[in-house]
Amino acid sequence: MNLSHHIKILYQKSPVFIQNFIISVYGLYWKKRRLGGVFSEKVNEFNLRNTFTKEQWKEYQVKELRKILLHAYNTVPYYHKLYSEYGFKSADFENFEIEDLKKLPYLEKEELRKYGSTSLLSSKRKIGSFLSSSGSTGTPVKIYFSKDVHQTWNAAYEVRVRNWAGITYKVPRGMIGGRRILPEANAKPPYYRYNYAEKQTYFSAYHLSLDTVSNYLEGMVKNKVEYMVGYAMSNYLLADFIEKKGLQAPKLKAVLTSSEKLTSKMRETMERVYRCKVFDGYSGVEACGLISENNEGEFLFSPDTGVMEVVDEDGIEVLNGDTGEVIATGLLNFDQPLIRYRIGDRVKLANNQKTVSDISMLKIEEIEGRKEDIITTLDGRKMVRFHSLFLDLPELIVAQLIQDYLDHFTINLVVERGFLKEKIESEIKKRLCSQVGEVSVVFNYLKDIPRNKNGKFRSVISKVKS
């Protein structure tokens, strides 16, 4: 039993003020890890590149791409073996062009899941730790972050997300994300906790309902929240409940959404309720590409975070105005390089690439992104995101959650040999019930999850009318 497990048990058994203290200590650690070190230096660098011309961006990307490909070939066992089999030598990457990327094979999500903590790591990696993805297209993957990479990625977010929305990391924020700050489905209010280190109010994504929304609003007012951030659907549900309840929300500076597809209805509702602009974005814990919305409403891809190919089903790059699959090559993480990674999402390129803002970055018309259903519980709570059900489960390849009725779920699983059926089924059901309340669960084992025409599948499906 490790220290983090002891802290988790202590947190769950503590009163709210002790939980706030624990979260604040944790928040102080993460603040130093994300916003210390090279963060300020990298913020300056990202700001300077905001004015790059297309020619400057091309030169920059080529230089950085060669650098990470050489590093990957020479220090990452997975790539050295794979690229050698394809006939590449170290010298080939010294004069590599962006157009040459199509000569390299894809990195599949399943390969990242299998080798991410072993042969996909650089032998020259810096000290770091693993973070898990949200697992929106199956089971989560683990991404290795050193402090420098973490700080660089947060600098990109500061400049191209917060700053573009007119705020900084110093502004008090409200957050709705995947952390289970209230471990039980039947938890009592307050449905938020406070991180003093970052002036962050963390709201539960799993207790939202018409009956609880007043308490969420109380937390926003009490802690002087000036902008909201986090899951698009959860933020929308909060705003929608506030409006349906006839309550008055504070005027915010911005709402920053991510992780799910933001519809025009969701945007309009949040902008009406909070009397501010909503800024949508797309990234992911993989940190191999950032798409963010500026004040002109333009979705722009940050070329200094990665190289983004948008391809059709034959792997050929699509034209402006067309939709395709995102193939991402990260330029920031040399400890666990992701090269031609099939991240599992699709975007539509803008037909007219000229920007009102005069920023010379690739313009995206639409982020198809991740689309999941809303789960409704017996007591009326509404929620999305169930990746925590499947974290750290050996031999689990991919999973899908289906709500058949309010109190009945089917979970489709694709597993490897050696899967400990009874133990893992018990753990998944316990996690699900702690999130939605007591329900019955049927487990269904498949060779693969049925997919849509675009090769994706919905990891959460509800047959219950929301």
Side-chain angles (χ1 to χ4, degrees), residues 24-41:
S24 296
V25 171
Y26 185 73
L28 181 61
Y29 162 75
W30 277 104
K31 182 179 180 180
K32 290 180 178 178
R33 179 184 168 89
R34 294 184 295 108
L35 307 176
V38 302
F39 173 78
S40 296
E41 172 192 337

Side-chain angles (χ1 to χ4, degrees), residues 178-395:
R179 291 195 181 279
R180 299 286 301 279
I181 57 167
L182 284 76
E184 298 302 327
N186 60 352
K188 304 299 182 185
Y191 299 108
Y192 57 89
R193 298 293 183 266
Y194 191 66
N195 168 12
Y196 289 90
E198 293 192 71
K199 293 183 284 188
Q200 175 201 45
T201 306
Y202 205 108
F203 296 96
S204 172
Y206 309 108
H207 295 83
L208 277 165
S209 72
L210 277 172
D211 294 332
T212 63
V213 68
S214 297
N215 186 255
Y216 283 75
L217 191 55
E218 172 194 293
M220 294 177 71
V221 174
K222 176 183 175 182
N223 296 328
K224 300 177 180 177
V225 168
E226 294 187 36
Y227 76 99
M228 291 293 296
V229 65
Y231 292 163
M233 181 58 73
S234 297
N235 270 290
Y236 160 72
L237 289 172
L238 175 56
D240 188 49
F241 287 144
I242 288 173
E243 188 170 54
K244 286 177 177 175
K245 198 82 170 180
L247 302 173
Q248 181 67 51
K251 186 179 187 306
L252 301 182
K253 293 182 176 179
V255 178
L256 313 180
T257 61
S258 61
S259 299
E260 295 122 1
K261 183 175 177 61
L262 178 71
T263 65
S264 56
K265 178 186 176 183
M266 292 161 65
R267 183 190 292 272
E268 289 163 6
T269 298
M270 287 185 278
E271 290 187 345
R272 187 169 59 246
V273 170
Y274 297 126
R275 290 157 292 167
C276 68
K277 292 190 71 168
V278 173
F279 295 82
D280 194 19
Y282 165 94
S283 55
V285 75
E286 291 94 340
C288 52
L290 174 65
I291 301 172
S292 49
E293 185 178 359
N294 65 13
N295 199 46
E296 303 292 344
E298 298 167 327
F299 291 101
L300 302 178
F301 177 78
S302 291
D304 40 7
T305 61
V307 177
M308 185 173 72
E309 302 168 74
V310 184
V311 304
D312 63 19
E313 57 187 14
D314 296 318
I316 300 170
E317 290 205 60
V318 303
L319 301 175
N320 292 340
D322 291 338
T323 300
E325 177 187 359
V326 173
I327 307 298
T329 298
L331 296 178
L332 303 179
N333 192 347
F334 281 68
D335 303 309
Q336 186 197 52
L338 301 185
I339 300 167
R340 300 210 80 206
Y341 175 53
R342 296 186 73 178
I343 199 165
D345 293 306
R346 295 167 61 84
V347 300
K348 181 180 181 181
L349 298 179
N351 189 44
N352 181 5
Q353 284 293 319
K354 183 173 176 54
T355 60
V356 176
S357 58
D358 287 329
I359 298 175
S360 299
M361 298 179 185
L362 183 68
K363 189 164 68 167
I364 307 300
E365 179 72 25
E366 181 183 4
I367 305 167
E368 186 172 301
R370 306 166 169 103
K371 195 169 184 179
E372 294 179 2
D373 285 355
I374 301 171
I375 298 299
T376 304
T377 64
L378 281 165
D379 57 2
R381 291 175 294 122
K382 295 182 184 293
M383 64 191 76
V384 292
R385 294 281 149 166
F386 289 82
H387 63 280
S388 60
L389 301 184
F390 310 115
L391 281 174
D392 301 320
L393 298 181
E395 289 77 47

Side-chain angles (χ1 to χ4, degrees), residues 72-206:
Y73 182 84
N74 291 325
T75 75
V76 181
Y78 176 89
Y79 291 117
H80 184 84
K81 181 176 183 294
L82 181 65
Y83 294 166
S84 294
E85 290 172 353
Y86 272 73
F88 287 97
K89 294 182 170 55
S90 181
D92 295 322
F93 299 114
E94 294 176 1
N95 299 302
F96 208 81
E97 299 292 338
I98 291 174
E99 295 75 18
D100 295 328
L101 274 171
K102 61 180 177 290
K103 300 175 183 177
L104 301 178
Y106 293 140
L107 173 65
E108 302 288 348
K109 196 173 286 271
E110 175 59 15
E111 291 166 329
L112 175 57
R113 191 188 76 85
K114 279 185 176 180
Y115 307 116
S117 60
T118 54
S119 60
L120 265 169
L121 293 175
S122 169
S123 60
K124 294 186 177 180
R125 64 186 177 276
K126 296 180 180 178
I127 295 173
S129 56
F130 288 96
L131 300 179
S132 293
S133 73
S134 63
S136 59
T137 52
T139 52
V141 294
K142 291 186 174 182
I143 306 300
Y144 187 87
F145 277 84
S146 67
K147 286 184 180 180
D148 282 359
V149 172
H150 213 162
Q151 289 154 9
T152 302
W153 181 245
N154 277 275
Y157 185 89
E158 176 73 5
V159 173
R160 305 275 167 72
V161 180
R162 277 193 283 255
N163 291 178
W164 279 7
I167 52 181
T168 74
Y169 72 88
K170 297 178 182 178
V171 176
R173 71 184 184 274
M175 168 74 181
I176 305 182
R179 291 195 181 279
R180 299 286 301 279
I181 57 167
L182 284 76
E184 298 302 327
N186 60 352
K188 304 299 182 185
Y191 299 108
Y192 57 89
R193 298 293 183 266
Y194 191 66
N195 168 12
Y196 289 90
E198 293 192 71
K199 293 183 284 188
Q200 175 201 45
T201 306
Y202 205 108
F203 296 96
S204 172
Y206 309 108

